[in-house]
Amino acid sequence: MNPQAPVYVRAEDDAWLTRVYYRFHAWTGTRPFWAGLFTLIAGFPIAYFPYADVRLGNVTIAMATTAGAGSLIIGVLLTTLGLTLWFQQGVRIFAGVAAILLGLVSLPVSNLGGFGIGLILSMVGGGLALAWVPAKTVTETDGVDARVPAHAVDLGKAGAMAGPYGVPGQRETDTPAYASETTAHADGGRNSAG
């Protein structure tokens, strides 16, 4: 990143599509958007394939299973968990674990988890939900400006001992380092073992 690069500042005369893009980008930055999207999409193949029928000429091939209701419930729950991840970020751990478990349950219940599509999407969505952490907000009460380098911040008494770039310097002691006692004998600098 170039610190001298120009920063785009939104103008009042921006196109409506540009304003919508920046508003959407800000909205997705404060929540686990991709986790919710993958989990939301995972519900559709799991719920759809048990009720789908393929027509080949005059022949109809139906994938009806005895667990069609279970597939529908799993699909609806995954869709609900995806929307929950978007609008209730506080339950992201529960939603992530539930999405992973529902994906695993869909394996025997719903035609191998929607032929693997729903299974993989729910695993990825649940994993992303568990990995997402809200960003730390910079407040003025922290006392540290984000634009000031860490080594330039006054650290009080500890800052007096800090060297360049925040590396701690030598401790202040009563005696200098060369006046300390040693355990080495004068006969070649070796210690005696007893």
Side-chain angles (χ1 to χ4, degrees):
M1 292 181 58
N2 184 1
Q4 298 172 347
V7 177
Y8 177 75
V9 179
R10 292 189 338 215
E12 294 296 325
D13 59 346
D14 279 344
W16 68 272
L17 191 59
T18 304
R19 286 193 303 263
V20 168
Y21 169 75
Y22 281 114
R23 199 170 279 157
F24 177 73
H25 187 66
W27 182 78
T28 59
T30 59
R31 62 200 72 244
F33 175 75
W34 292 107
L37 184 67
F38 282 124
T39 306
L40 181 85
I41 294 173
F44 292 115
I46 290 174
Y48 175 74
F49 286 132
Y51 294 102
D53 54 336
V54 179
R55 297 185 189 274
L56 298 173
N58 292 335
V59 178
T60 302
I61 301 172
M63 296 297 294
T65 62
T66 57
S71 299
L72 184 64
I73 290 171
I74 290 172
V76 168
L77 284 175
L78 282 172
T79 304
T80 304
L81 287 173
L83 292 172
T84 301
L85 284 170
W86 281 352
F87 297 109
Q88 296 291 329
Q89 298 84 28
V91 295
R92 64 180 161 66
I93 302 293
F94 168 75
V97 170
I100 290 172
L101 290 176
L102 284 171
L104 289 173
V105 168
S106 74
L107 195 61
V109 171
S110 175
N111 295 330
L112 299 174
F115 297 117
I117 299 168
L119 173 70
I120 291 171
L121 288 173
S122 67
M123 292 295 162
V124 170
L128 287 174
L130 291 174
W132 185 81
V133 177
K136 293 176 74 175
T137 57
V138 178
T139 60
E140 293 181 19
T141 59
D142 291 341
V144 178
D145 190 5
R147 296 171 294 190
V148 178
H151 62 84
V153 177
D154 182 26
L155 301 174
K157 185 176 180 184
M161 294 186 306
Y165 303 110
V167 176
Q170 184 177 357
R171 286 187 273 168
E172 295 177 14
T173 59
D174 294 336
T175 59
Y178 58 85
S180 63
E181 295 181 20
T182 62
T183 58
H185 294 290
D187 57 342
R190 295 188 205 119
N191 291 328
S192 62

